[in-house]
Amino acid sequence: MKLAYWMYAGPAHIGTLRVASSFKNVHAIMHAPLGDDYFNVMRSMLSREKNFTPVTTSVVDRNVLARGSQEKVVDNIIRKDGEEHPDLIVLTPTCTSSILQEDLHNFVERAQLEAKGDVMLADVNHYRFNELQAADRTLHQIVQYYIEKARKRGELPEGKTAKPSVNIIGNSTLGFHNNHDCTELKRLMADLGIEINTMIPEGASVHDLKKLPQAWFNLVPYRELGLATAAYLEEQFGTPCVDITPMGVVETARCIRKIQQVINAQGAEANYEEFISEQTLNVSQAVWFSRSIDCQNLTGKKAVVFGDNTHAAAMTKILAREMGIHVVWAGTYCKYDADWFREQVSEYCDEVLITDDHGEIGDAIARVEPSAIFGTQMERHVGKRLDIPCGVIASPIHVQNFPIGYKPFLGYEGTNQITDLIYNSFTLGMEDHLLEIFGGHDTKEVITKGISADSDLNWSKDGQAELNKIPGFVRGKVKRNTEKFARERGFKEINAEVLYAAKESVGA
Amino acid sequence: MTTTQQPEALNFECETGNYHTFCPISCVAWLYQKIEDSFFLVIGTKTCGYFLQNAMGVMIFAEPRYAMAELEEGDISAQLNDYEELKRLCLQIKRDRNPSVIVWIGTCTTEIIKTDLEGLAPKLESDIGIPIVVARANGLDYAFTQGEDTVLAAMAHRCPTKAPAAETETEKSDRNAIQKLLNFGKKKEEVVQDESEYVDHPPLVLFGSLPDPVVTQLTLELKKQGIRVSGWLPAKRFTELPVIEEGYYVAGVNPFLSRTATTLMRRRKCKLIGAPFPIGPDGTRAWVEKICSVFGITPKGLDEREAQIWESVEDYVKLIRGKSVFFMGDNLLEISQARFLVRCGMTVQEIGIPYMDKRYQAAELALLEKTCQEMGVPLPRIVEKPDNYNQLQRIYASKPDLVITGMAHANPLEARGINTKWSVEFTFAQIHGFTNTRDILELVTRPLRRNTNLQDMGWDKLVKEEAKI
């Protein structure tokens, strides 16, 4: 058992549902108790879906517990098949059904006899995988199913498309800015003269899946979703995979060069160098920005980064390499893929943090006192408590992270968006401090800067008053040094005298 | 709309139970706020945690007094010892928060692997010195607000049987010991002054978790009739749970509290006052009247009070009069709300409800029937364990002016030009008593007012008509 208040990645079935409901005309049936269909609420509210989420529950209640589901699951599949005629029904196990150990495979086989659409059981163990891993596996499973089906029927198309083409794998519903990224990638491919063969899973039909082998290569923009599928396609059809996330100026160029290499190896004669420099100088403002005076002011400022692998790694590189910002630590909650993360970021930050414990993250932020945080919604709230601005760069996210305006993180427009995000986070922090230095609005009495450890020292009124006179951006440090000093010397209360004694002792 | 009076009784149906609702563990969201010295430990999986984290929204960031005891594979396969694991976590909670009570919420998983929470609790309780209350609020058995019911039923066992100070007091103050306890810290004169305002009646304890302002409002409403509320289940703090002795009277304030009512009657030997629930001015009045009648009191001033409330909300009532409403059903408040909206002049097409306790809700059902007859509208069908898919077909067919539904359906229905109101708001808003009538109407009329503002823009249907299958 583990005491937990917050989790970064959801349970496995959420991943399966995200992939299933990204496809057009695919329905997921959860084998779950009442109330587990919370996914529908999230999809309807967060991404403001106009359509009903194609997820229903085959309810596990007392009767099921006593006698097993019997006909119930099969009936529910057949019923949904008749009502909505989906191409595919994905039976989705949950934590409950994995301990009931019912033979869901058997239900699927029985339902398949009567259902007109295809029926499949998502092969995901709730206790072994999280949301992201499950999504990756489910996408692979669906692709494999339809490739094999087409192969059996002799419907697999021969050869590649006439012009260079790509499968973009990994855009899904409830993904962080995925819909904007999707548009940006389409645009980028069009500029490169590359046809989009398919984009999966968001918006795709399962009938398109047999076309997958026709692409010249696969582009997997996100580390978390699509690599299993790309590996499968490479193994089956030798389709090469480009897995460089085009996020940030340098990485976007690297991604494009890799694409060039991959398609030229298959006989294209692409040269994207001119395109890259044109885009870098004229479309993206990020490069010019890092030369401008604004960015100079950010030099050496401290930041911390936390999120999923894709976004935290890319963000760390952008901050360190493209803006000269000091990334004190970068972290990920994708513990299962920690080695990759370490390898990506180690040279761009002082320390790498691999954890999914938000308390540990909060403490690490409090300890470092960065000028800005780039993290998830949880880090944003830590930032609020510590008065440190935060740019949200990864899931878990709230409804405000599903903006209506065009805000990709990938591609050349993405570099502009990220620049704004970074710059706005830092300036807000600076303005705040300037206000404080010039005696702006600081009438607050209480300052508690720790997240978990409560200080056992008392600050007297005059001590607190002196502390408040110290400019905000160093106040935390002074407070901590003073408390350390007081603890070492056994002072119970910190008054102005102790504060200045501490100051003298460190020679500040 | 032309309506004919239908003499038949209410029509009850039961569908497949394929509907959307919140998991009952969501009750921790409001109960940890209500019971200030509590800590709720939900013993379940990532699925439960994910639901709470998302359903509670920003509350999660406010260092809530709740946590998950997340079960891992070793717990499921019993490689780890339940008792030791729970002890470790509860000691950590004791150290960090020092609560007066830890409430264990049993979930689907603990049901399936048959964790003996009720058996473990007393042992651990004596080991660590903090009361542990066990409530099995799981999705196998219950829906949404029924979670509170399971918690309060478990708490009912913990209510003291005798006021601690009772023996040393004189006979007169003996009866009022509870009142003293509740007034702890107040000046004695005040308590004495209060005495004269009350009629002599057997002690009355109300049950149901309500925000403190509403507790005050309802308590004062009864005080006007000379009725003293001896205590509430739950109180603001676990240490202030009311005394419940054999023969006390109890009354529910919410329609989903049937287990609590049963526990109070059978285990604590209380007498249940079966009344409609104090939702809407009509409901509040009926509730007060019923309590008065049980104590042989002639209620005074209720006519004026109700009329005055109706008058004050006429601007809102005007907006919904003659319109139709459809309850998809998810929080068990549906019968009371429907009854109130019929009184406002609406026609109710269907009342979906997760679970219908016809005995506990008898008075409310009778009032609904009576209200429909008086307002001359047809009696609605009441659909227990509804089937959301079938309901959507009925909604498309009958085109109600307003659908009260969960969030899973709200946006898709709006996109199809159907007004919706998100039902969960009614659970969190203050809707009880005379005073809060405006708040219910504020919620009910909001989509209609919003759409009046957006009228004439010509974009009420935002999805293509689906092909008829």
Side-chain angles (χ1 to χ4, degrees):
Chain A
M1 269 181 223
K2 198 171 87 182
L3 198 62
Y5 301 84
W6 167 269
M7 65 185 83
Y8 285 99
H13 71 268
I14 297 288
T16 296
L17 297 181
R18 273 178 57 188
V19 167
S21 60
S22 291
F23 279 106
K24 264 191 298 200
N25 213 25
V26 170
H27 199 98
I29 295 187
M30 295 166 69
H31 187 237
L34 201 62
D36 272 2
D37 58 351
Y38 194 72
F39 177 78
N40 298 36
V41 175
M42 291 179 61
R43 189 159 177 272
S44 172
M45 293 309 290
L46 295 178
S47 51
R48 298 180 202 87
E49 267 294 327
K50 282 187 249 171
N51 286 313
F52 292 97
T53 300
V55 174
T56 45
T57 311
S58 175
V59 179
V60 175
D61 54 17
R62 269 294 151 187
N63 293 331
V64 172
L65 211 55
R67 302 179 298 131
S69 296
Q70 299 189 346
E71 300 304 312
K72 200 169 180 180
V73 176
V74 177
D75 287 348
N76 278 321
I77 296 174
I78 293 166
R79 175 183 164 187
K80 199 40 76 178
D81 183 67
E83 278 167 2
E84 303 201 342
H85 310 286
D87 296 323
L88 168 67
I89 292 178
V90 181
L91 182 59
T92 309
T94 58
C95 59
T96 308
S97 60
S98 48
I99 32 178
L100 282 178
Q101 299 189 328
E102 287 198 77
D103 191 357
L104 297 179
H105 266 295
N106 175 35
F107 295 155
V108 163
E109 276 163 27
R110 274 164 57 202
Q112 184 66 83
L113 296 176
E114 273 191 59
K116 294 208 175 56
D118 298 312
V119 188
M120 169 194 293
L121 173 67
D123 180 18
V124 175
N125 181 327
H126 180 93
Y127 292 93
R128 304 262 165 93
F129 302 112
N130 70 16
E131 169 187 352
L132 304 171
Q133 294 162 292
D136 199 32
R137 290 175 71 90
T138 304
L139 183 60
H140 172 210
Q141 196 189 348
I142 293 177
V143 166
Q144 185 172 8
Y145 181 91
Y146 280 98
I147 294 284
E148 279 170 11
K149 187 177 173 187
R151 189 179 272 149
K152 244 178 247 160
R153 295 186 175 185
E155 286 173 351
L156 269 191
E158 292 287 321
K160 305 283 173 194
T161 52
K163 283 189 184 165
S165 63
V166 60
N167 299 317
I168 300 181
I169 303 175
N171 283 295
S172 75
T173 191
L174 291 176
F176 182 72
H177 291 240
N178 273 196
N179 51 345
H180 305 304
D181 286 348
C182 172
T183 311
E184 186 62 21
L185 288 176
K186 275 188 198 157
R187 203 176 275 178
L188 181 63
M189 292 305 133
D191 289 347
L192 296 176
I194 294 171
E195 282 172 0
I196 307 264
N197 188 50
T198 60
M199 279 189 109
I200 60 169
E202 182 67 54
S205 155
V206 289
H207 301 308
D208 299 338
L209 294 177
K210 59 172 177 283
K211 284 173 30 194
L212 282 168
Q214 285 184 297
W216 289 35
F217 71 101
N218 295 317
L219 175 63
V220 181
Y222 308 112
R223 176 78 193 167
E224 291 76 20
L225 176 55
L227 283 179
T229 308
Y232 168 76
L233 293 171
E234 186 153 15
E235 170 214 309
Q236 293 286 315
F237 307 102
T239 319
C241 165
V242 176
D243 61 355
I244 300 164
T245 305
M247 182 169 156
V249 177
V250 179
E251 291 296 290
T252 304
R254 206 158 75 83
C255 177
I256 294 172
R257 291 198 180 101
K258 179 75 183 173
I259 291 172
Q260 176 182 313
Q261 186 202 333
V262 159
I263 60 171
N264 284 354
Q266 298 175 62
E269 283 167 9
N271 184 348
Y272 295 135
E273 286 308 323
E274 203 177 313
F275 171 79
I276 293 173
S277 71
E278 162 71 17
Q279 292 285 316
T280 307
L281 294 178
N282 296 326
V283 175
S284 167
Q285 295 294 311
V287 166
W288 160 233
F289 176 81
S290 41
R291 275 311 292 267
S292 71
I293 305 299
D294 286 333
C295 194
Q296 218 178 75
N297 283 341
L298 299 184
T299 310
K301 284 249 169 298
K302 286 197 292 184
V304 296
V305 181
F306 190 77
D308 59 7
N309 267 356
T310 306
H311 293 92
M315 202 65 190
T316 306
K317 292 181 197 167
I318 293 170
L319 290 168
R321 189 163 58 183
E322 297 178 19
M323 292 186 168
I325 288 160
H326 177 194
V327 180
V328 185
W329 56 257
T332 178
Y333 54 82
C334 300
K335 282 160 85 174
Y336 63 94
D337 196 16
D339 293 341
W340 180 87
F341 186 77
R342 259 196 213 98
E343 180 210 316
Q344 293 290 308
V345 303
S346 339
E347 59 177 305
Y348 300 107
C349 59
D350 304 348
E351 193 190 331
V352 178
L353 205 61
I354 312 282
T355 181
D356 54 5
D357 175 355
H358 74 92
E360 203 178 311
I361 300 296
D363 287 346
I365 295 173
R367 166 167 54 86
V368 165
E369 279 184 70
S371 312
I373 307 167
F374 298 93
T376 71
Q377 277 292 334
M378 193 66 196
E379 284 67 53
R380 192 173 75 87
H381 283 265
V382 173
K384 266 189 180 169
R385 291 194 48 200
L386 299 177
D387 271 334
I388 303 170
C390 177
V392 175
I393 57 151
S395 298
I397 39 183
H398 281 178
V399 69
Q400 70 262 38
N401 303 113
F402 288 87
I404 299 169
Y406 186 52
K407 291 198 163 54
F409 270 63
L410 303 187
Y412 284 106
E413 177 55 26
T415 63
N416 293 336
Q417 296 295 333
I418 294 170
T419 305
D420 280 344
L421 179 77
I422 295 173
Y423 185 62
N424 289 343
S425 305
F426 278 108
T427 16
L428 290 177
M430 282 295 286
E431 272 170 21
D432 207 39
H433 291 324
L434 287 174
L435 274 173
E436 288 191 4
I437 290 170
F438 296 112
H441 49 56
D442 196 0
T443 49
K444 318 174 260 207
E445 275 271 276
V446 193
I447 301 171
T448 37
K449 277 232 169 178
I451 279 288
S452 54
D454 221 354
S455 127
D456 52 348
L457 289 162
N458 285 323
W459 283 77
S460 72
K461 255 238 155 85
D462 66 326
Q464 188 69 53
E466 270 330 290
L467 183 67
N468 285 346
K469 285 182 196 160
I470 291 159
F473 59 94
V474 289
R475 190 180 300 144
K477 209 172 290 166
V478 171
K479 182 169 186 249
R480 218 178 327 283
N481 283 338
T482 312
E483 286 177 355
K484 195 173 151 216
F485 173 86
R487 238 181 237 117
E488 279 165 7
R489 282 164 183 71
F491 291 111
K492 282 276 167 289
E493 194 182 59
I494 301 176
N495 52 26
E497 271 170 66
V498 178
L499 184 118
Y500 286 113
K503 185 167 181 258
E504 280 158 25
S505 86
V506 296
Chain B
M1 183 177 273
T2 55
T3 52
T4 48
Q5 195 164 327
Q6 295 186 343
E8 311 106 63
L10 287 165
N11 174 23
F12 293 95
E13 289 170 38
C14 188
E15 278 189 308
T16 62
N18 260 314
Y19 64 102
H20 166 77
T21 182
F22 273 16
C23 176
I25 60 172
S26 53
C27 67
V28 309
W30 64 87
L31 287 176
Y32 91 76
Q33 294 188 50
K34 173 71 193 177
I35 309 169
E36 287 170 3
D37 52 354
S38 63
F39 191 97
F40 285 78
L41 183 67
V42 183
I43 304 161
T45 60
K46 256 187 188 311
T47 307
C48 316
Y50 196 67
F51 162 70
L52 276 180
Q53 170 172 330
N54 285 292
M56 287 165 74
V58 269
M59 275 195 271
I60 204 91
F61 300 111
E63 296 230 349
R65 277 173 286 100
Y66 101 86
M68 290 293 309
E70 197 184 308
L71 300 167
E72 289 163 303
E73 210 167 4
D75 298 303
I76 305 298
S77 54
Q79 282 166 334
L80 298 166
N81 180 308
D82 293 335
Y83 183 78
E84 290 306 323
E85 291 296 301
L86 284 167
K87 185 173 174 182
R88 186 170 55 82
L89 301 192
C90 288
L91 282 173
Q92 194 179 335
I93 292 166
K94 185 184 176 183
R95 196 172 56 234
D96 291 351
R97 310 292 180 100
N98 196 28
S100 310
V101 60
I102 298 178
V103 183
W104 285 353
I105 303 286
T107 61
C108 304
T109 312
T110 55
E111 286 297 313
I112 297 170
I113 63 174
K114 300 198 165 38
T115 316
D116 182 20
L117 297 177
E118 278 92 347
L120 296 173
K123 191 159 169 255
L124 189 55
E125 183 170 317
S126 62
D127 267 11
I128 67 170
I130 295 180
I132 295 173
V133 171
V134 180
R136 301 190 191 186
N138 62 67
L140 293 168
D141 300 308
Y142 305 108
F144 196 13
T145 48
Q146 287 181 291
E148 174 180 323
D149 193 23
T150 61
V151 174
L152 295 189
M155 292 251 176
H157 291 286
R158 300 298 183 122
C159 292
T161 37
K162 272 262 188 283
E167 270 105 25
T168 61
E169 298 288 334
T170 63
E171 203 191 325
K172 177 159 168 38
S173 56
D174 190 16
R175 200 171 51 234
N176 302 317
I178 322 110
Q179 191 60 31
K180 275 227 180 90
L181 208 67
L182 289 174
N183 282 322
F184 181 73
K186 270 191 197 172
K187 281 193 203 116
K188 199 167 182 239
E189 295 80 40
E190 273 179 7
V191 182
V192 176
Q193 255 184 358
D194 281 348
E195 296 300 300
S196 58
E197 296 171 40
Y198 295 112
V199 180
D200 193 33
H201 66 82
L204 170 69
V205 171
L206 301 178
F207 58 94
S209 161
L210 292 177
D212 295 333
V214 184
V215 168
T216 313
Q217 285 159 14
L218 287 180
T219 309
L220 289 177
E221 213 61 68
L222 290 175
K223 191 181 164 192
K224 280 185 193 154
Q225 307 300 336
I227 296 169
R228 179 208 308 281
V229 179
S230 303
W232 279 79
L233 174 68
K236 257 170 94 80
R237 303 179 62 83
F238 179 75
T239 47
E240 291 166 5
L241 279 180
V243 172
I244 297 179
E245 287 179 44
E246 192 174 332
Y248 273 26
Y249 280 82
V250 290
V253 295
N254 266 323
F256 45 77
L257 299 171
S258 30
R259 279 176 69 92
T260 311
T262 313
T263 308
L264 289 169
M265 284 191 293
R266 296 203 183 139
R267 308 299 295 272
R268 306 304 302 258
K269 312 280 183 240
C270 295
K271 292 172 189 152
L272 177 71
I273 303 177
F277 301 100
I279 293 169
D282 50 338
T284 310
R285 179 199 172 144
W287 183 72
V288 175
E289 273 177 348
K290 183 65 195 280
I291 295 174
C292 286
S293 80
V294 168
F295 293 141
I297 297 165
T298 315
K300 33 183 197 288
L302 282 180
D303 274 337
E304 301 77 36
R305 185 96 169 98
E306 192 192 346
Q308 174 204 341
I309 296 290
W310 282 118
E311 200 183 335
S312 72
V313 294
E314 174 59 22
D315 52 339
Y316 275 180
V317 174
K318 208 162 58 187
L319 295 171
I320 50 171
R321 196 170 283 140
K323 296 221 157 62
S324 55
V325 59
F326 189 110
F327 288 88
M328 287 186 79
D330 75 341
N331 60 12
L332 284 94
L333 293 170
E334 291 87 4
I335 303 286
S336 313
Q337 280 180 357
R339 177 259 304 149
F340 166 63
L341 291 180
V342 168
R343 181 59 72 185
C344 290
M346 291 188 94
T347 314
V348 178
Q349 293 180 342
E350 173 167 330
I351 306 177
I353 186 165
Y355 169 72
M356 181 75 248
D357 185 335
K358 286 185 199 163
R359 276 199 300 177
Y360 177 63
Q361 294 223 43
E364 185 62 271
L365 286 168
L367 183 59
L368 170 67
E369 207 171 330
K370 183 169 151 245
T371 307
C372 286
Q373 276 152 11
E374 283 174 11
M375 298 303 288
V377 297
L379 289 166
R381 52 194 275 162
I382 295 174
V383 182
E384 198 178 353
K385 299 175 104 191
D387 184 293
N388 280 168
Y389 182 85
N390 296 344
Q391 285 184 313
L392 289 174
Q393 310 311 311
R394 297 199 284 272
I395 287 171
Y396 294 147
S398 62
K399 297 191 170 52
D401 295 307
L402 181 68
V403 175
I404 297 186
T405 179
M407 272 222 272
H409 298 113
N411 267 338
L413 282 172
E414 288 283 349
R416 284 159 183 76
I418 295 166
N419 293 324
T420 60
K421 181 72 228 146
W422 181 40
S423 54
V424 173
E425 282 193 75
F426 292 102
T427 355
F428 294 113
Q430 308 191 349
I431 60 169
H432 292 76
F434 287 120
T435 326
N436 295 311
T437 307
R438 202 172 181 83
D439 293 62
I440 319 180
L441 285 167
E442 161 72 31
L443 289 177
V444 173
T445 59
R446 194 179 293 161
L448 303 169
R449 283 179 288 130
R450 192 263 314 262
N451 291 349
T452 320
N453 294 341
L454 303 183
Q455 223 170 32
D456 305 327
M457 294 185 62
W459 296 316
D460 55 338
K461 284 220 177 79
L462 301 168
V463 286
K464 278 190 203 143
E465 282 301 334
E466 279 145 78
K468 285 273 172 276
I469 301 162

